[in-house]
Amino acid sequence: MLITETIRFFVLHHNEVLKATVQHLYLVAIPMAFCILIAIPLTILATRVQKLYPWIIGFSNAMQTIPSLALLALLIAIGSGIGLVPTVVALFLYSLMPIVRNTFVGINGVSPEIKDAAMGMGVTNWQLLWMIELPLALKVIIAGIRSALVGTIGFATLGALIGAGGLGSLILRGLSMASNDIVLAGTLPAMLMAFLAEFLMSRLELLLTPRGLRVRKG
Amino acid sequence: MAVNDFSLDIQRGEFVVLIGPSGCGKSTTLRMINRLVEPSSGTIEIDGQNYEKYHPVELRRRLGYVIQQVGLIPHLTIAENIAFVLRLKGVKENGRRARARELLELVEMNPDLFMDRYPSELSGGQQQRIGVLRALAHDPDIILMDEPFGSLDPITREQLQDELKSLQLNVQKTIIFVTHDMDEAIRMADRIVIMREGRIVQVASPNVILRAPSDDFVANFFGRQRLSWQTIKMPVREIMDRSITSVSQKSSLAHSLEEMLRRGIDQIVISDENDKFQGFVSLDDLRGTLKQDLEMSVDSFSKVHKETIPPEFSVLNGIQIMIAHKINKIPVTEADGTVVGSVSLDSAIELLTGVTGAESAALASDDGKNGGPARRKAVKRREC
């Protein structure tokens, strides 16, 4: 039985599974952190200097269209070597698009009359961003991060192909040894992680939606 | 060029309305005052100071600004919205809430009920009230309003117009108000500035503009619709039919009937020996009368109508009374009973056929407004 086999593997090799899972978390967390720290401010800048936007969205769109495996190969080809660094770079490039797009749409989507009224009351550019645009766009931005995150968790399993470790390495080993229990031992935690991320982010989205936007007209 | 060759002096405490067809530059003019639009040449002075001395942000915090779409900040409560400029100016939370409370009370909105609600929970009219309060919160001397009541239904619009007017009388703000609604301009303005293609066509008080429009454009702009609006508030004296046919109260019904048929009228006034009004009978009522009854005198007839209106009543009152009593025509009499003419429902309505849908609705709300003075008085008592 595959199930019992898999459980047996989990029990016997729990250290190994745990290590792979933690590695996997790093593989996801590092590029996501960079993405949030770099892509969001850059996109906010693009909402002020609209000429920038076609470049930013164009680049992130292009990265997203490259097949993930090809992206990894491409990075090796241009001399990034193998291991953690090219994987993190690839994941970073891959998760740009949803974050860039949602940040831009979220901020640009704040209705012009709200901004007009706020400007007319004398907000500075920073206050407009902090007090009006970001709170109103937050929900959309979080949704972008959420879809990038779930995608990245899946994509990170490919990192094992170029020696970055993570849950992908279990899957690869299982495949090469033709033992499905090891494949599952890598797959199940990755799936669980994706579900959990999806769930937590949707809670966060709800939590960060300003109360005034949640209230329905009574 | 949106606005060209525009020169205007506005007095402190004045209510100035900018009006004109869309695209005439009225909103642009307003937005130049708070520097949301920068003029390519020319200047604006506030209290004798060139406004460019102030940073745009600082300038805007000295002015109040209300727009048609309200633009309340959806993630802030009503209290936070009202006191938003105070927050920008660094006023502490307590002070801000106190001010919001004070202002809500000013427009008779229960602070305990509304302070902590969100804009999406309010009706359109309530939202725009908050929009106006928000412009008052920091006690600016000058308030700019860009078609603030344009998207409200006629009833709410009139209510808010009244509230704003009485607010202004209380707080003595200079208000510069943009609209394309002529009635609104005439109701509200101390002075009306009529614009076309970025230029001023005429600047004058509402009365002068109505009586002496400077050219055909102005006359047309305040034209036909205006007339019907005027008509309905006009005293019936102005529109009544002055031909009077009366019979003595001692004459017979047959005589009255004969008179009516001979003159081709459907109603005849009954007067006493001093020619004072005693009532009237209508052709329809006489038609159903038996032949032998026609010999009795009119004052003993059971279907004598007593309805009459004084000449100073408005056409609207006349129409209301006629409809209420199901009569087509009503005699107009002075207080001493002298009959001076008559008004028929048909002729009154004919005069109003220029009335647009929106205006008819506004007319209908005119009645409701009579219930309003108590509230308006209450508003007046308070100080801002």
Side-chain angles (χ1 to χ4, degrees), chain A residues 33-214:
Chain A
F34 275 113
C35 220
I36 291 167
L37 289 178
I38 295 170
I40 292 182
L42 212 61
T43 312
I44 290 172
L45 184 69
T47 61
R48 315 282 126 165
V49 192
Q50 299 259 351
K51 262 187 284 181
L52 275 179
Y53 184 63
W55 295 95
I56 297 177
I57 190 70
F59 178 74
S60 45
N61 264 334
M63 289 305 112
Q64 180 103 134
T65 51
I66 301 174
S68 37
L69 200 55
L71 187 58
L72 286 175
L74 197 70
L75 282 170
I76 297 170
I78 61 174
S80 71
I82 57 165
L84 186 68
V85 176
T87 310
V88 166
V89 172
L91 291 175
F92 167 77
L93 293 173
Y94 205 70
S95 48
L96 277 178
M97 205 275 281
I99 293 181
V100 166
R101 191 195 49 204
N102 277 35
T103 304
F104 191 82
V105 168
I107 288 182
N108 252 21
V110 174
S111 51
E113 57 263 27
I114 295 175
K115 286 192 272 192
D116 188 49
M119 293 291 286
M121 287 188 289
V123 294
T124 62
N125 277 331
W126 274 111
Q127 285 170 330
L128 185 67
L129 183 65
W130 278 112
M131 299 170 91
I132 314 284
E133 290 178 307
L134 274 183
L136 290 174
L138 204 57
K139 181 181 152 70
V140 184
I141 297 175
I142 299 285
I145 295 176
R146 168 176 153 190
S147 65
L149 181 63
V150 174
T152 306
I153 291 171
F155 183 13
T157 52
L158 290 180
L161 284 172
I162 58 169
L167 290 165
S169 57
L170 284 175
I171 299 173
L172 279 185
R173 177 156 32 118
L175 285 174
S176 60
M177 291 166 64
S179 55
N180 288 338
D181 55 335
I182 308 185
V183 173
L184 273 184
T187 314
L188 287 176
M191 276 171 61
L192 194 68
M193 203 184 285
F195 275 128
L196 216 63
E198 173 79 25
F199 174 73
L200 289 178
M201 289 303 285
S202 65
R203 300 301 300 181
L204 188 68
E205 203 180 302
L206 208 65
L207 205 72
L208 289 179
T209 305
R211 215 164 73 78
L213 302 184
R214 271 181 267 160

Side-chain angles (χ1 to χ4, degrees), chain B residues 15-19 30 143-149 161 164 175-179 184-185 188:
Chain B
F15 199 124
V16 173
V17 172
L18 304 181
I19 190 170
L30 198 74
I143 301 172
L144 311 175
M145 304 186 125
D146 193 349
E147 303 200 25
F149 309 138
Q161 286 169 349
L164 178 64
I175 296 182
I176 306 172
F177 190 105
V178 163
T179 184
E184 189 166 65
M188 310 292 285

Side-chain angles (χ1 to χ4, degrees), chain B residues 248-274:
Chain B
S248 148
Q249 57 181 340
K250 296 295 169 214
S251 58
S252 68
L253 283 176
H255 176 65
S256 312
L257 182 60
E258 202 179 303
E259 275 299 289
M260 280 189 270
L261 292 175
R262 195 164 62 81
R263 293 173 183 253
I265 52 176
D266 52 11
Q267 182 173 302
I268 198 159
V269 170
I270 307 161
S271 49
D272 63 11
E273 53 275 19
N274 301 322

